[in-house]
């Protein structure tokens, strides 16, 4: 029998998400250490990669971080996000691959590092994910990582499977039973910024009570 979906207070879910993020970071650091991968002096900056994100809970937690910024910084990030969305839309119409710097990156540095989303935490090192059908999907890591691992027979990797499952459970706890009727999230971070905090089907009043404001 399918388990009943129970909605929890946003602050409770956010504490659990922060713990999950920390465990992702720990797993990343172990593998990066074994490979000898460091972002220091990297000639690339993968914050210009085209990432899409898929959960309202990460979206809302990111907005919590955004709301903790000074008004001036928040305004600058929102302006950069609007610019990013505009550039992505016009590059799509021209058929180009979108490669623009994330609006949260200032002078090569992420200014909302503690609230960055899952993919920002796992990109870089080799990792794998086992789908519900048992298919194993492998991710080789960034270009610098691939240079370091090409001579290794079996490079160490982060297993994303448990992390994905836990994030899916947190998404259910954040959104609640209405999740089954809601559309899927498939947005860039810039779009998440431009659209404001996510609604969970409970209306703006509840979102504001959770401390999220546009
Ligand atoms: S994850 Fe890889 S590509 Fe990105 S900054 Fe670090 S070393 Fe460079
Ligand atoms: S949120 Fe931060 S870490 Fe992620 S792409 Fe943007 S600047 Fe980089």
């Amino acid at each position: 029998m399918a388990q009943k979906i129970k909605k929890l207070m946003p602050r409770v879910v956010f504490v659990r998400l922060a713990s999950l993020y920390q465990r992702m970071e720990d797993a990343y650091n172990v593998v990066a250490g074994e490979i000898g991968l460091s972002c220091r002096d990297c000639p690339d900056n993968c914050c210009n990669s085209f990432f899409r994100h898929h959960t309202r809970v990460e979206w809302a937690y990111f907005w919590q971080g955004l709301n903790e910024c000074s008004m001036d910084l928040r305004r600058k990030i929102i302006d950069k996000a609007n610019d990013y969305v505009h550039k992505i839309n016009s590059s799509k119409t021209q058929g180009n691959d979108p490669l623009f710097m994330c609006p949260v990156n200032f002078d090569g540095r992420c200014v909302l590092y503690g609230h960055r989303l899952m993919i920002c935490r796992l990109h870089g090192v080799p990792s794998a994910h086992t789908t519900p059908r048992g298919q194993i999907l492998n991710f080789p890591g960034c270009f610098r990582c691939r240079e370091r691992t090409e001579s290794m027979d079996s490079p160490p990797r982060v297993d994303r499977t448990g992390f994905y499952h836990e994030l899916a459970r947190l998404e259910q706890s954040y959104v609640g039973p209405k999740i089954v009727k809601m559309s899927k999230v498939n947005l860039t971070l810039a779009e998440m910024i431009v659209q404001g905090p996510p609604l969970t089907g409970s209306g703006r009043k509840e979102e504001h009570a959770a401390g999220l404001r546009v």
Side-chain angles (χ1 to χ4, degrees), residues 70-111:
S70 68
M71 204 185 289
D72 181 50
L73 179 57
R74 187 162 61 243
R75 191 67 261 159
K76 284 183 181 149
I77 292 171
I78 292 172
D79 287 347
K80 274 159 65 98
N82 272 304
D83 189 45
Y84 181 104
V85 170
H86 178 72
K87 284 198 286 202
I88 288 282
N89 289 341
S90 33
S91 92
K92 272 196 226 148
T93 45
Q94 288 163 19
N96 296 330
D97 282 341
L99 258 194
F100 301 111
M101 187 53 76
C102 172
V104 184
N105 193 300
F106 285 67
D107 302 322
R109 196 177 67 85
C110 177
V111 294

Side-chain angles (χ1 to χ4, degrees), residues 28 37-39 42 44 46 123-124 142-144:
Y28 180 101
L37 178 73
S38 160
C39 296
C42 178
D44 196 4
C46 43
H123 178 78
C142 69
F143 88 97
R144 204 178 209 190

Side-chain angles (χ1 to χ4, degrees), residues 166-205:
E166 199 170 332
L167 185 60
R169 286 195 294 274
L170 288 177
E171 177 74 345
Q172 291 188 343
S173 304
Y174 178 72
V175 179
K178 288 184 181 167
I179 196 169
V180 293
K181 293 185 189 154
M182 296 182 79
S183 56
K184 290 206 176 352
V185 173
N186 186 28
L187 297 170
T188 62
L189 183 58
E191 288 167 325
M192 290 177 161
I193 294 168
V194 169
Q195 291 187 20
L199 293 174
T200 59
S202 312
R204 283 279 170 196
K205 209 171 157 193

Side-chain angles (χ1 to χ4, degrees), residues 38-52:
S38 160
C39 296
R40 189 182 298 267
D41 300 326
C42 178
D44 196 4
N45 188 327
C46 43
C47 296
N48 67 2
S49 307
F50 186 72
F51 293 137
R52 285 189 183 279

